[in-house]
Amino acid sequence: MPMNRAHRKLCSSDQWARTVKDRLLPWALKDVELGDEVLEIGPGYGANLRVLVDQVPSLTAVEIDADTVRLLEREWGDRARILHADGTDLPLPDATYSSVVCFTMLHHVPTDALQNRIFAEAFRVLRPGGVFAGSDSQPSLRFRLLHIRDTMNTVPPATLPARLRAAGFTEPVVERHPESGGLRFRARKPVGG
């Protein structure tokens, strides 16, 4: 995975998996109905995936890093569909998923244009009425130190609603976590969309 050693160690740790299960996902997905067919873009080492796989009937995970895909297939391939693909060009049919999610991965996408392509692809593969939801971190000293020699392109919360609307979504909501300062978002594909 294209992250520095400290970052890889943190993201693959049991401590991070517990944080995801106990704090991150409950907050990021509060009041979000995922439905029956869920797509996770950028699962990384699978901390989110291991929670989601027990919460939804069908889960597909798309990961860009081939080594990480093999790890995810070994761990979760019997319970989730794992695809080696780029979230900016998903090899998936239109209007397939009831929800698309991504957690703490957008800041690893090197440009705003590529992040916008992820938003457009999430919109494309969602069924009408489906939800796009997720979370990401925001800059802090600790966060910057963790990303030395890593890609760190955080999404400004103030610009995210307009970017989601530009991808076709309606009802974008972006909120900051009261303690960590991280953001969560959700938006819908219109029923006529």
Side-chain angles (χ1 to χ4, degrees), residues 128-139:
V131 66
F132 179 41
S135 64
D136 209 357
S137 302
Q138 291 295 289

Side-chain angles (χ1 to χ4, degrees), residues 55-75:
Q55 294 182 354
V56 299
S58 178
L59 178 63
T60 299
V62 173
E63 173 57 46
I64 196 167
D65 182 71
D67 291 336
T68 307
V69 167
R70 286 189 284 279
L71 171 90
L72 294 172
E73 285 176 339
R74 276 194 311 273
E75 290 290 321

Side-chain angles (χ1 to χ4, degrees), residues 2 64 86 88 105-116 118 150-155 163:
I64 196 167
D86 185 337
T88 67
M105 59 72 66
L106 288 170
H107 66 273
H108 286 287
V109 179
T111 67
D112 291 359
L114 289 173
Q115 290 171 345
N116 291 340
I118 289 172
D150 269 10
T151 299
M152 188 185 94
N153 181 32
T154 55
V155 177
R163 292 171 69 187

Side-chain angles (χ1 to χ4, degrees), residues 39 41 62 85-97 99-101 113-127 131-132 163-164 166-169 189:
L39 171 65
I41 299 175
V62 173
D86 185 337
T88 67
D89 187 21
L90 296 170
L92 299 166
D94 296 356
T96 303
Y97 294 93
S99 62
V100 176
V101 295
L114 289 173
Q115 290 171 345
N116 291 340
R117 282 292 312 142
I118 289 172
F119 303 156
E121 282 292 274
F123 183 85
R124 182 184 66 78
V125 301
L126 270 174
R127 297 176 193 153
V131 66
F132 179 41
R163 292 171 69 187
L164 292 171
F169 291 104
K189 182 173 185 173

